């Protein structure tokens, strides 16, 4: 029982790991003994985060653009040069676009869909050989998709592509989970609520908006790094080896609020 949440020695990949909740999850894994690869498009920020996280364990940065299949294939090839298996794949990279419905642009819709949903499917597809090489009946390989509570409810903001894509992540997680379970690969998702990140920067830096957002959270605070890191550790460890196709709403009670 004492080793239920142990991830030491595991090999993890975190997309969008240069900042926000991606960096929080990567740090949680690194600090608990996993070897973690992080990727993002902005190389300077990515390398800086890898250097920061390397103070706690082993973290390696590989810049990549996962918005298209060619970029995903290049990233997977870079991992294959270094590793024979991947134990944990966290599909976290995300994008957002806000505009009134009357002039919401096609380029905004496509950008969000490419990163938030297409990249999850094709990254999982391309990583399959490495994930299959890891999984076994007692300790399956793990795929953790990052959705959002705004894929469950109406956010009240004109972020149409984001909400649609995150709803798609939840359903895709269920679909992939049933298909990949027989390969000893568990697929689950996390739907975060209000966490400090680049996407919530405008809210976090405005006291009035922060108070308004927190007033909607029954727990009375925004999410902390330990909250998302702890959930990722659970989904990556023996503790969740029989959990398949579930989406955890990590939101301090917002979804449950009447």
């Amino acid at each position: 029982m004492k080793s239920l949440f142990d991830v030491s020695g595991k090999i993890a990949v975190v997309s969008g790991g240069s900042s926000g909740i991606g960096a929080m999850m990567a740090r949680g894994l690194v600090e608990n003994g996993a070897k973690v690869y992080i990727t993002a498009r902005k190389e300077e920020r990515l390398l800086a985060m890898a250097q920061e996280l390397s103070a706690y364990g082993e973290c390696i940065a590989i810049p990549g653009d996962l918005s298209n299949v060619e970029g995903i294939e290049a990233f997977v090839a870079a991992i294959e040069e270094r590793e024979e298996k991947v134990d944990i794949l966290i599909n976290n990279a995300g994008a957002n676009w806000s505009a009134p419905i009357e002039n919401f642009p096609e380029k905004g819709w496509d950008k969000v869909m490419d990163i938030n949903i297409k990249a999850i499917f094709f990254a999982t597809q391309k990583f399959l050989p490495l994930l299959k090489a890891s999984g076994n009946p007692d300790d399956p390989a793990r795929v953790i998709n990052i959705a959002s509570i705004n894929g469950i409810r109406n956010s009240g903001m004109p972020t149409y592509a984001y909400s649609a894509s995150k709803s798609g992540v939840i359903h895709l997680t269920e679909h992939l989970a049933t298909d990949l379970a027989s390969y000893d690969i568990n697929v689950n998702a996390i739907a975060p609520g209000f966490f400090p990140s680049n996407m919530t920067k405008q809210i976090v830096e405005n006291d009035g908006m922060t108070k308004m957002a927190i007033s909607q959270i029954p727990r009375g605070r925004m999410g902390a790094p330990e909250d998302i890191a702890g959930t990722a550790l659970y989904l990556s460890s023996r503790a969740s080896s029989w959990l398949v196709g579930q989406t955890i709403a990590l939101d301090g009670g917002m979804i449950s609020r009447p």
Side-chain angles (χ1 to χ4, degrees), residues 4 60 67 87 91 93 110 115 117 127 150 152 171 179 195 252:
L4 274 179
I60 302 162
S67 65
D87 302 301
N91 290 310
D110 291 345
I115 293 291
I117 186 69
F127 269 108
N150 293 338
I152 302 172
H171 189 73
D179 289 353
F195 279 81

Side-chain angles (χ1 to χ4, degrees), residues 87-154:
D87 302 301
I88 304 157
L89 171 63
I90 301 183
N91 290 310
N92 167 73
N96 197 1
W97 196 290
S98 179
I101 190 170
E102 291 83 0
N103 56 9
F104 198 100
E106 182 181 11
K107 67 176 182 179
W109 184 275
D110 291 345
K111 176 183 177 180
V112 171
M113 288 294 179
D114 284 348
I115 293 291
N116 290 7
I117 186 69
K118 186 176 80 172
I120 286 181
F121 177 80
F122 285 103
T124 304
Q125 178 195 71
K126 302 306 179 185
F127 269 108
L128 268 181
L130 291 172
L131 292 165
K132 287 180 180 179
S134 163
N136 63 70
D138 293 327
D139 191 12
R142 312 303 170 97
V143 176
I144 303 170
N145 298 326
I146 304 304
S148 169
I149 61 166
N150 293 338
I152 302 172
R153 59 160 205 170
N154 185 341

Side-chain angles (χ1 to χ4, degrees), residues 21 91 120 144-152 162 165-170 173 189-192 247-248:
I21 64 173
N91 290 310
I120 286 181
I144 303 170
N145 298 326
I146 304 304
S148 169
I149 61 166
N150 293 338
I152 302 172
Y162 184 82
S165 68
K166 293 301 185 178
S167 181
V169 170
I170 293 169
T173 295
I190 304 172
T247 295
I248 297 173

Side-chain angles (χ1 to χ4, degrees), residues 12-244:
V13 173
V14 181
S15 69
S18 63
S19 64
I21 64 173
M24 296 174 197
M25 291 185 289
R27 176 170 174 173
L29 290 166
V30 168
E31 285 192 335
N32 284 275
K35 180 180 181 181
V36 180
Y37 290 90
I38 59 174
T39 187
R41 289 186 300 108
K42 296 181 180 179
E43 184 171 352
E44 184 176 351
R45 180 189 296 175
L46 181 71
L47 295 175
M49 182 55 66
Q51 183 177 7
E52 178 182 331
L53 296 183
S54 292
Y56 308 103
E58 191 169 6
C59 183
I60 302 162
I62 300 179
D65 181 358
L66 306 189
S67 65
N68 56 76
V69 174
E70 292 78 9
I72 293 170
E73 289 176 337
F75 175 62
V76 173
I79 298 293
E80 287 175 331
E81 290 177 358
R82 296 164 172 81
E83 305 293 345
E84 295 182 352
K85 65 172 184 172
V86 166
D87 302 301
I88 304 157
L89 171 63
I90 301 183
N91 290 310
N92 167 73
N96 197 1
W97 196 290
S98 179
I101 190 170
E102 291 83 0
N103 56 9
F104 198 100
E106 182 181 11
K107 67 176 182 179
W109 184 275
D110 291 345
K111 176 183 177 180
V112 171
M113 288 294 179
D114 284 348
I115 293 291
N116 290 7
I117 186 69
K118 186 176 80 172
I120 286 181
F121 177 80
F122 285 103
T124 304
Q125 178 195 71
K126 302 306 179 185
F127 269 108
L128 268 181
L130 291 172
L131 292 165
K132 287 180 180 179
S134 163
N136 63 70
D138 293 327
D139 191 12
R142 312 303 170 97
V143 176
I144 303 170
N145 298 326
I146 304 304
S148 169
I149 61 166
N150 293 338
I152 302 172
R153 59 160 205 170
N154 185 341
S155 68
M157 298 179 288
T159 51
Y160 303 103
Y162 184 82
S163 297
S165 68
K166 293 301 185 178
S167 181
V169 170
I170 293 169
H171 189 73
L172 180 62
T173 295
E174 296 175 357
H175 196 156
L176 289 173
T178 53
D179 289 353
L180 299 185
S182 61
Y183 295 120
D184 296 321
I185 300 171
N186 283 12
V187 185
N188 292 288
I190 304 172
F194 182 30
F195 279 81
S197 70
N198 287 334
M199 286 192 187
T200 60
K201 186 177 180 180
Q202 288 183 324
I203 298 175
V204 172
E205 293 181 349
N206 184 303
D207 288 342
M209 293 178 71
T210 298
K211 289 178 181 178
M212 177 63 72
I214 290 177
S215 72
Q216 304 300 309
I217 304 173
R219 286 287 289 111
R221 65 169 175 84
M222 72 176 74
E226 293 82 1
D227 298 319
I228 190 74
T231 304
L233 284 169
Y234 166 63
L235 292 177
S236 299
S237 68
R238 177 66 179 83
S240 66
S241 64
W242 217 44
L243 186 73
V244 178

